[in-house]
Amino acid sequence: MTASATLASERGRAMQTFHFTLNGAATAVEALPDDMLVDVLREVLKIKSVKTGCGPQRECGACVAYIDGTPRVTCAVRIAQVEGRKILTLEGVSDNERRLYADAFQAAAGLQCGFCTPGLVLRIKWLTDQGQTLSRADIARALDGHLCRCTGYVKIIDAVELIQAAKAGGALPAVIEDGGVGQRLKRYQGSELALGVRPFVADIDVPGMLYGALVLSPHARARVVRIDTAKALAVPGVIAVATARDVPGNRWVGQIYPDWPCFVAEGEEVRYVGDVVAAVAAETPRIAREAGRLVEVDYEVLTPVLDPLEAIKPGAPRVNPVHENLLSVTRYARGDVDAALAGSAHVVTGTWKTQRIEHLFLEPEAALAVPLPDGRLHLYSQSQGIFEDRRQVASVLGEPEANLFIELVPNGGGFGGKEDMTVQAQTAVLARLTGRAVRIVLNREESIRMHPKRHPLTMTYTVGCDVDGRLTGARIDMIGDSGAYASVGGKVLERAAGHACGPYRMPVLAIEGIAAYTNNVPCGAMRGFGANQTSFAIEGCLDMLAAKVGIDGWEMRWRNIVHVGDMFSTGQILEKSVGIEQTLLAVKGAYDSARAQGRAVGIACGIKNSGIGNGAIETGKCRLVVQTDGSIELHTGFTEMGQGLLTILTQCAVETTGLPARLFRPQVNSRFELGSGQTTGSRASLLAGPSVVDAAQKLKADLDSGLGLKDLAGRVYAGEHRIDDTTAPGETKNGKIKTHTTFGFATQVVVLNEAGVVERVIAAHDVGRALNPQQCEAQIQGAVHMGLGYALTEELPCKDGMPVTFKLREIGVLRAQHMPAVEVILVEDPEPEGPFGAKGVGEIGLVPTAGAVAGALEAFDGIRRMRLPMKESPAARAINLGRIPDADRDQWH
Ligand code: FES
Ligand code: FES
């Protein structure tokens, strides 16, 4: 096999021919000696099971291939280094073995988005080929070179144990091929994901496709004086360089306010280090990036606004042209707080600070725009709301939305970080400019610079209780750094304020939440948005009050949790599906016995809205389309991002129609007008589930009338579910406050070992109904992993507006060996408005975790920690990850 490199620049450097064996076949490839093996494999040889998650950091493991029989990260190997060697990728593994790995991962539910999985599979092949039976701890250590942001590794290690047993002659448990609600149905496209066969956007190639690269601002605040693209345009292989001048429509995008230019024009300010000033389209990715470095931009550097408290002072430089620096203020108040606190037996007060963190979905952002013969543009997106993408991209292009056919390629993790647009508009502009297909894929540094993060919050709490520990009142003030653009920052602070008292009865309260613009990287949606931060603070208050009252943490919470009929902080009376009591009871045995054994134990409860609520009209829409072959397309407008939505929706259809799961083919594209907004706020199952049921009931009625699927070929069954009865903060509807449709509830217990290291997490969650218990459990395990990182190690400080690191180890995401045992207890208190009683589970999993860790640490060493991450704690010090020195961060954080 001979292949010509399409990577190499033609600027005077001679390409060479390299020879090696690839998956058993003699292979010759022309490339530059310093081309990375991962790029040659992916872009020249079209081997797509190797993924690029961090290259060339060698820290995620997604790009693993065997070189001479040993797994190696191919982003750290130059093509010249493999001359004469043997390379094996998953494509070269025997069919029987591939089936074993795919089935084991399916049976164990060891994959979610699947972006990390092919790399892991090759590592696991090597591990399990050594003929030893490894313990769970050994396996975890052996997986240290791999990152998974979705699973928490628990079920990956389960899969490794299954593979070990199978290679020793045992049988795998059966993969569940069919099933309705409540069954452990296998993940839709799970085998294809495990083996790297199902493409992500960056894996899709189109004949004649160009590769795009972006030019980002190096400054947090500066005026763009001049942009000169001449040198970049002169590079052979460069087809176009786009700037603001090339945008035919409206450059300004944004989910709530159109305050974010997809290109910053000459004469305007750049407002953060992810602002785009130019985009290059070229024949190869390498040429595009090299040419991008030749775009000359003159900046007049301005002093950035980096502190949200300074930003909202009179006279502060205005960050954003569309909105003043005070982005939003949310207030909730009832009763006389001063009197309530003055009359309390005990009062605690303090300021809690949480940090900015990175989503670190394993798949960096990518988009592919392909001009169609009929003049439309086919945009492949991996975002959390393709109809929102279509609306905004059409506006940028100055074209009607009908000119865009948009298709979701289920993504490699989102967690809120793929709600805002990153590369979609620039990709579309380049495709229109050149008339050719264009694909842009961000590298890890660009990804970290561009997309919004979790808000750092400073929260001052004063909370009282009576002699028995019953809460009497709270005064809570908080401010969050929303960065340079609005994103959904105001909504995050709205949720933070609404959830500020946790799942506790608070008879009297005064809460104020402020979001402010700065020139830092924007902050927006991230799993749990706002609830995680305030949970850390309110749980700290409860622990401090419990100590004053002289009762334990469990009892303190038991005396204060909400029940049906109680009022939530927003004024909403909770009318149904309030399972917090059952979750507390579920952990009591573990909590008491660990304490009796002398262990340091922490406990925290959590609440998280399911559905956006707060007055938003929300819809879920579905179309079931019967095909001539008897299969049924299941169309939804929400995004599959590893959470298992498409599997769950299939189960809803199976449950309703009685048809087998294999008949349903879920899809997300703009063939139908199913726009439902972003996949956010733990709402996709809540809204899409009933819409599938609605459509499926219509199909079932036809089937029950005696018609078969062949008779129904071509029929389209429409389903819709609408929520329009929630109220905005401070408003009522029909005399009632209902800020949210429903809530998830949880109690988590954290147990430390003798050294103060987290040994065990017990997570009891009220999920309403577990539509797929295995996936539900997996979601919570993955969320606990994220919550432990949030508590102990994860941070992304900025200095002068620039993240101080892009290294995955320094960002602090936990590896498999850092994970304690995680025991999930599913509680089902049915939600009448949810599908089959279910409510969202995507976010609540990490809401209580940091609070429980802080409580356990205080039980261990007597120190009440009020700042995240708790990196100086014994639990964090035991984790061998990189560390960011204090000197490398701005003071506010
Ligand atoms: S280790 Fe190679 S892409 Fe991450
Ligand atoms: S399943 Fe591992 S990163 Fe998503």
Side-chain angles (χ1 to χ4, degrees), residues 38 51-64 72-76 115 145 362 808:
V38 66
K51 311 289 182 195
T52 305
C54 70
Q57 292 189 25
R58 61 176 84 177
E59 291 194 350
C60 78
C63 64
V64 159
R72 298 275 304 276
V73 284
T74 56
C75 69
F115 194 84
L362 258 278
L808 271 49

Side-chain angles (χ1 to χ4, degrees), residues 582-843:
Q582 295 100 300
T583 66
L584 256 176
L585 289 171
V587 303
K588 181 153 178 49
Y591 178 81
D592 287 343
S593 67
R595 279 164 52 93
Q597 289 163 19
R599 290 302 174 86
V601 181
I603 185 168
C605 295
I607 181 170
K608 179 67 188 52
N609 59 293
S610 178
I612 292 177
N614 279 4
I617 293 175
E618 301 180 77
T619 56
K621 295 177 189 169
C622 171
R623 295 289 184 277
L624 294 176
V625 186
V626 183
Q627 307 294 301
T628 49
D629 64 359
S631 66
I632 302 161
E633 289 183 358
L634 189 165
H635 290 257
T636 178
F638 288 114
T639 290
E640 169 64 59
M641 48 187 167
Q643 83 280 43
L645 176 71
L646 300 184
T647 310
I648 295 296
L649 296 185
T650 299
Q651 290 182 262
C652 290
V654 168
E655 186 72 20
T656 309
T657 60
L659 295 169
R662 65 182 159 73
L663 292 186
F664 291 95
R665 310 246 179 281
Q667 351 219 317
V668 187
N669 58 49
S670 60
R671 177 177 166 194
F672 301 103
E673 290 302 320
L674 304 182
S676 302
Q678 305 288 7
T679 304
T680 186
S682 301
R683 69 176 187 156
S685 298
L686 182 77
L687 286 155
S691 74
V692 171
V693 172
D694 185 22
Q697 283 171 339
K698 294 167 187 166
L699 167 59
K700 176 79 163 56
D702 278 354
L703 292 171
D704 287 348
S705 73
L707 295 169
L709 285 174
K710 284 223 164 64
D711 306 314
L712 300 174
R715 290 216 190 161
V716 179
Y717 296 90
E720 182 162 338
H721 182 65
R722 180 180 168 92
I723 295 175
D724 57 7
D725 62 347
T726 65
T727 54
E731 294 181 1
T732 58
K733 214 174 247 181
N734 303 324
K736 198 165 143 180
I737 295 172
K738 183 180 180 184
T739 49
H740 295 96
T741 299
T742 187
F743 298 88
F745 294 94
T747 303
Q748 293 186 356
V749 168
V750 168
V751 182
L752 306 187
N753 68 12
E754 295 83 351
V757 176
V758 179
E759 179 180 73
R760 188 178 168 210
V761 178
I762 303 108
H765 283 250
D766 168 25
V767 299
R769 174 91 188 271
L771 297 173
N772 183 319
Q774 199 178 25
Q775 291 196 17
C776 211
E777 197 177 89
Q779 273 289 296
I780 294 166
Q781 288 165 342
V784 168
H785 164 261
M786 198 178 269
L788 290 170
Y790 187 50
L792 295 171
T793 49
E794 288 188 38
E795 58 180 338
L796 189 70
C798 291
K799 195 169 181 65
D800 298 327
M802 180 70 85
V804 302
T805 187
F806 301 103
K807 295 198 178 106
L808 271 49
R809 280 196 183 266
E810 291 184 352
I811 285 168
V813 175
L814 302 182
R815 306 271 161 164
Q817 62 165 307
H818 306 130
M819 278 299 285
V822 181
E823 301 153 40
V824 175
I825 302 169
L826 298 179
V827 168
E828 297 184 319
D829 188 334
E831 165 52 55
E833 294 187 67
F836 304 98
K839 50 194 177 186
V841 71
E843 298 174 288

